[in-house]
């Protein structure tokens, strides 16, 4: 099993390019099920999760071809509308095929999803929304089984009990082919939702309000193919920026989307880093911070445009070597502090109080062998290893490969001493 070996205490310097967003690529790929015409995606990240969803779609009969940063999909020969457990168990985003299959074909069987063990992420909002659109949905033997009497969904007003990104995306895709108007209230506002809506509009959908809490969709009878460039990955971008601060470096991330990172950039400035930005780049200079270390900064995760839960572990790593104490409160997932015990192995001083971590910064972390527990925890441990004295080995990095494209190569180009080993 692959590991990352890191020799720490080397400031990162230079330019790095952000990849396309994993959390945008997956729903965009699922949306190809809404038409029998080709869908072309540019700026696609080369990631394990992308390959996994590609295999799931191919198993249904979709033609899937990826060459570098371009993916071509064509769902003109769907043999069956099933997503079996063997394909779905490793990735929660697989549930995104449910809405498109039900909307276009009138039926679907999708296994309840898996993914990172960071807490309960129920799909009840997906089910309730599809039922509002006229689908009959039940859970049988671990599968979500849905059918549409009459063959076509009916527009409806849907107000979700909680903000859910994949739920918003699933229901938005389903509503595109429903009869009449659908309004989704309490919708997720993430940039990836707006990116999906942009491609759906390019396919002939009629959508207003994506990126706000109310999305209005006028259903159409059919959608056509489209070409679309995937939005840059804001979480990968933020990870490199946190690594720059933790190592007291100077890093510019190019081909990114600065407007999607306002909350994080404010926190990095508060920590003492100098942040500058342009239309598609962000530079963080942390090599001249007062006292030579970042200041401790508290944060509370919340839905976009708040501080992203997917940046909590990386920001915690920065606070581990900061001056002072910070409180990091997790409001999205109840089990997203599993990286704490691994950071403590590196010498961090962290106490868990309910859904809050109190991080007392230390002058120096010390390298050790640590184990990744989920995707973003992996990134946090890599950042801590980059800042630590001596050698750190991060095990179980298959989690990391789900969401970061060639991370060790990009970090090495910034001056990190990092290598993949078995």
């Amino acid at each position: 099993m692959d590991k990352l070996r890191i020799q720490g205490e080397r400031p990162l310097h230079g330019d790095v390019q952000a990849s396309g967003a994993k959390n945008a690529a997956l729903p965009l790929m699922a949306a190809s099920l809404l038409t029998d015409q080709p869908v072309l995606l540019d700026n696609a990240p080369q990631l394990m999760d992308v390959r996994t969803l590609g295999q799931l779609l191919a198993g249904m009969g979709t033609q899937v071809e990826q060459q570098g940063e371009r993916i071509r999909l064509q769902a003109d020969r769907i043999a069956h509308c099933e997503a079996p457990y063997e394909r779905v168990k490793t990735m929660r985003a697989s549930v995104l095929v449910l809405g498109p299959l039900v909307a276009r074909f009138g039926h679907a069987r999708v296994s309840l999803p898996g993914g990172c063990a960071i807490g309960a992420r129920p799909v009840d909002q997906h089910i309730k929304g599809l039922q509002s659109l006229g689908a009959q949905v039940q859970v049988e033997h671990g599968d979500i089984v849905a059918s549409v009497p009459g063959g076509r969904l009916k527009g409806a007003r849907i107000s979700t009990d909680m903000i859910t990104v994949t739920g918003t995306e699933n229901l938005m895709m389903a509503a595109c082919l429903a009869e009449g108007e659908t309004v989704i209230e309490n919708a997720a506002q993430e940039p990836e939702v707006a990116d999906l809506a942009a491609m759906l509009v390019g396919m002939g959908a009629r959508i207003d309000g994506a990126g706000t809490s109310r999305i209005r969709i006028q259903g159409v009878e059919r959608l056509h193919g489209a070409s679309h460039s995937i939005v840059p990955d804001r979480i990968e971008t933020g990870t490199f920026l946190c690594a720059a601060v933790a190592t007291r470096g100077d890093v510019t991330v190019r081909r990114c989307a600065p407007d999607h990172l306002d909350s994080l950039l404010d926190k990095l400035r508060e920590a003492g880093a100098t942040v500058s930005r342009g239309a598609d780049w962000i530079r963080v200079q942390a090599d001249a911070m007062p006292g030579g270390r970042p200041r401790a900064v508290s944060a509370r995760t919340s839905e976009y445009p708040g501080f992203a839960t997917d940046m909590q572990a990386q920001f915690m790593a920065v606070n581990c070597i900061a001056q002072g104490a910070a409180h990091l409160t997790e409001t999205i997932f109840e089990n997203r502090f599993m990286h704490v015990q691994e950071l403590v192995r590196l010498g961090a001083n962290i106490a868990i109080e309910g859904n809050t971590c109190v991080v007392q910064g230390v002058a120096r972390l010390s390298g050790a062998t640590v184990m990744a527990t989920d995707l973003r925890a992996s990134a946090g441990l890599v950042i801590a290893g980059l800042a630590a004295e001596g050698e750190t080995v991060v095990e179980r990095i298959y989690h990391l490969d789900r969401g970061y494209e060639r991370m060790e190569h990009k970090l090495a180009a910034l001056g990190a001493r990092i290598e993949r080993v078995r």
Side-chain angles (χ1 to χ4, degrees):
M1 191 175 294
D2 287 1
K3 310 170 185 178
L4 287 182
R5 178 181 292 144
I6 304 165
Q7 299 294 331
E9 290 195 306
R10 292 176 64 89
L12 301 183
H13 288 92
D15 292 11
V16 64
Q17 184 169 286
S19 299
K22 173 184 84 84
N23 290 339
L26 301 178
L28 291 168
M29 292 173 68
S32 68
L33 292 168
L34 290 166
T35 179
D36 61 359
Q37 296 182 17
V39 171
L40 301 176
L41 299 177
D42 287 315
N43 196 34
Q46 299 177 59
L47 300 170
M48 186 183 300
D49 273 10
V50 171
R51 291 192 293 272
T52 298
L53 186 57
Q55 291 165 358
L56 173 62
L57 294 172
M60 295 179 186
T62 301
Q63 301 174 54
V64 183
E65 303 170 9
Q66 180 166 6
Q67 294 185 341
E69 293 186 348
R70 166 164 283 203
I71 303 177
R72 182 185 186 277
L73 307 104
Q74 186 166 7
D76 59 341
R77 301 174 186 174
I78 298 299
H80 57 83
C81 297
E82 297 182 11
Y85 177 71
E86 289 71 24
R87 295 294 187 193
V88 172
K89 64 182 179 181
T90 61
M91 188 177 66
R92 179 179 180 271
S94 301
V95 76
L96 286 165
V97 303
L98 178 63
L101 288 174
V102 173
R104 182 175 165 203
F105 299 101
H107 62 94
R109 177 182 286 269
V110 177
S111 178
L112 289 169
C116 287
I118 57 175
R121 295 193 277 186
V123 296
D124 60 318
Q125 301 305 304
H126 305 240
I127 293 173
K128 290 178 182 178
L130 288 174
Q131 289 172 333
S132 296
L133 294 172
Q136 296 179 349
V137 189
Q138 57 237 352
V139 177
E140 298 178 354
H141 309 293
D143 292 340
I144 304 169
V145 181
S147 62
V148 184
R152 189 177 182 190
L153 296 170
K154 307 289 185 181
R157 180 174 294 272
I158 303 169
S159 182
T160 59
D161 298 333
M162 57 184 288
I163 297 174
T164 161
V165 176
T166 54
T168 298
E169 292 166 341
N170 232 339
L171 298 176
M172 184 168 64
M173 287 188 284
C176 286
L177 294 180
E179 182 181 345
E181 180 179 88
T182 298
V183 178
I184 303 174
E185 303 278 6
N186 202 28
Q189 302 178 48
E190 273 71 4
E192 295 80 14
V193 174
D195 198 44
L196 172 61
M199 189 183 83
L200 291 171
V201 169
M203 295 170 66
R206 299 171 61 191
I207 303 173
D208 292 309
T212 74
S213 61
R214 176 183 293 156
I215 302 176
R216 192 179 300 272
I217 305 111
Q218 299 290 339
V220 297
E221 289 191 9
R222 61 190 303 112
L223 297 176
H224 52 74
S227 295
H228 182 79
S229 183
I230 299 171
V231 69
D233 196 317
R234 60 192 170 97
I235 305 302
E236 183 197 32
T237 300
T239 298
F240 285 119
L241 298 179
C242 283
V245 176
T247 62
R248 293 84 152 175
D250 181 349
V251 171
T252 300
V253 182
R254 300 198 180 277
R255 211 173 77 171
C256 65
D259 289 348
H260 297 167
L261 287 146
D262 286 340
S263 179
L264 175 64
L265 297 185
D266 286 345
K267 296 294 183 183
L268 296 181
R269 290 189 185 97
E270 192 177 343
T274 299
V275 179
S276 52
R277 58 196 281 180
D280 62 353
W281 59 268
I282 303 170
R283 182 183 182 185
V284 166
Q285 298 166 272
D287 48 359
M289 290 183 294
R293 291 162 58 193
R295 290 188 292 269
V297 178
S298 297
R300 180 183 181 89
T301 65
S302 63
E303 294 84 0
Y304 189 86
F307 191 88
T309 181
D310 278 356
M311 285 304 307
Q312 178 250 106
Q314 302 91 308
F315 196 62
M316 185 180 294
V318 174
N319 274 300
C320 285
I321 48 88
Q323 304 173 71
H327 291 70
L328 299 179
T329 302
E330 175 59 53
T331 70
I332 308 298
F333 296 121
E334 74 279 4
N335 199 25
R336 204 163 201 177
F337 286 149
M338 291 188 292
H339 48 282
V340 168
Q341 62 184 354
E342 302 302 307
L343 290 171
V344 170
R345 285 180 52 78
L346 296 172
N349 183 351
I350 308 172
I352 301 178
E353 300 177 358
N355 68 335
T356 297
C357 279
V358 181
V359 185
Q360 178 67 54
V362 298
R364 177 170 291 173
L365 298 175
S366 178
T369 297
V370 293
M371 182 178 66
T373 54
D374 61 74
L375 170 54
R376 305 307 174 184
S378 306
L381 293 176
V382 169
I383 292 172
L386 292 169
E389 177 185 24
E391 180 177 282
T392 297
V393 176
V394 183
E395 297 185 337
R396 291 175 61 177
I397 60 167
Y398 59 84
H399 289 294
L400 193 76
D401 293 335
R402 289 185 49 224
Y404 291 91
E405 180 180 335
R406 300 169 62 249
M407 188 183 202
E408 70 272 22
H409 297 283
K410 291 185 176 183
L411 288 171
L414 294 173
R417 293 182 63 186
I418 181 171
E419 62 177 343
R420 182 179 292 252
V421 297
R422 290 192 178 275

